[in-house]
Amino acid sequence: QVQLQESGPGLVKPSETLSLTCTVSGRSINGYYWSWIRQPPGKGLEWIGYIHYTGSTDYNPSLKSRVTISVDTSKNQFFLRLSSVTAADTAVYFCARSDTLLVGYYFDFWGQGTLVTVSS
Amino acid sequence: DIQMTQSPSSLSASVGDRVTITCRASQSISTYLNWYQQRPGKAPKLLIQATSRLESGVPSRFSGSGSGTDFTLTITSPQPEDLGTYYCQQSYSTPWTFGQGTKVEIK
């Protein structure tokens, strides 16, 4: 069974950089796409971007200028960096595996989520 | 970006009712449509991928249908554990986008 676990600071100051790690266990990170998704308190889901195990990435244009997703296959981890954060970036951040079988991609395994609050 | 619009935003159903949630895409997405259930305080859980393919372990009372721009998630005879918020998500093109969610309460 694939398990994902997010880790990182729960509080980030405005204008600073949010950094999160997703550790994957139970399965190699190789062969898949890995996504970050966020959910502001009481609101819906927003896809931030994905990384392929080879290192190729795709980002949501709404965040593209501030987002970097990277991967360390040797540690079975991938990472999120979001720069110049504001209160609007306060959210629960999820990491998830993106897989495909028939048509398109879906998020089949998720981390439990970590709340990141942007506040001074 | 492809906009996904769900209706209704919330509903209340009794055990044994039939629940229907609709999802409309702003352009045709073929069958590139997935459904998730999010229970309070939990991560979303994949229920259905590619419009109608039920994930392993998901009860058969859940079903999905549609194509193009209009899709439906149906719960026949909902159970108390089906409470939560349901989201549709398109993977036809990036940025992958979600509907705003439908909150389901079970009476």
Side-chain angles (χ1 to χ4, degrees):
Chain A
Q1 182 78 337
V2 180
Q3 293 185 311
L4 295 87
Q5 177 69 57
E6 305 90 350
S7 59
L11 181 64
V12 181
K13 291 182 168 56
S15 79
E16 294 189 346
T17 297
L18 178 160
S19 296
L20 294 175
T21 298
C22 183
T23 301
V24 180
S25 58
R27 186 81 182 236
S28 171
I29 208 167
N30 292 335
Y32 294 95
Y33 289 86
W34 303 90
S35 287
W36 288 98
I37 297 153
R38 70 179 183 178
Q39 184 172 39
K43 295 188 178 180
L45 300 161
E46 179 182 34
W47 175 72
I48 298 170
Y50 70 57
I51 188 163
H52 191 241
Y53 74 102
T54 56
S56 66
T57 56
D58 193 357
Y59 301 136
N60 193 320
S62 67
L63 297 167
K64 188 172 186 175
S65 64
R66 299 193 291 129
V67 171
T68 302
I69 299 176
S70 56
V71 65
D72 186 337
T73 56
S74 68
K75 294 184 177 179
N76 239 34
Q77 293 177 324
F78 63 106
F79 312 95
L80 171 68
R81 287 174 57 86
L82 182 65
S83 64
S84 305
V85 297
T86 69
D89 295 308
T90 293
V92 175
Y93 286 76
F94 296 99
C95 57
R97 190 179 81 168
S98 308
D99 199 7
T100 184
L101 181 61
L102 295 173
V103 172
Y105 283 83
Y106 46 85
F107 307 111
D108 58 351
F109 291 97
W110 296 66
Q112 64 187 23
T114 187
L115 175 62
V116 179
T117 301
V118 178
S119 174
S120 55
Chain B
D1 298 7
I2 298 175
Q3 307 302 318
M4 307 300 293
T5 304
Q6 290 181 231
S7 61
S9 297
S10 64
L11 64 89
S12 183
S14 298
V15 173
D17 282 351
R18 181 184 181 92
V19 169
T20 300
I21 299 170
T22 63
C23 177
R24 174 163 290 175
S26 60
Q27 66 181 73
S28 177
I29 58 170
S30 183
T31 57
Y32 290 63
L33 192 282
N34 307 312
W35 289 98
Y36 301 85
Q37 174 197 60
Q38 186 177 31
R39 294 191 173 115
K42 300 295 187 182
K45 171 188 173 184
L46 177 66
L47 295 178
I48 292 172
Q49 47 109 342
T51 298
S52 58
R53 183 181 173 89
L54 212 62
E55 275 298 283
S56 175
V58 174
S60 60
R61 61 181 179 271
F62 292 92
S63 64
S65 64
S67 68
T69 60
D70 294 313
F71 301 86
T72 300
L73 173 69
T74 301
I75 312 174
T76 54
S77 191
Q79 300 300 301
E81 62 267 27
D82 297 338
L83 75 92
T85 301
Y86 291 78
Y87 294 94
C88 60
Q89 175 248 328
Q90 65 82 19
S91 65
Y92 183 80
S93 65
T94 61
W96 294 333
T97 48
F98 294 85
Q100 81 280 15
T102 296
K103 188 173 183 178
V104 173
E105 173 193 87
I106 307 296
K107 297 176 193 173

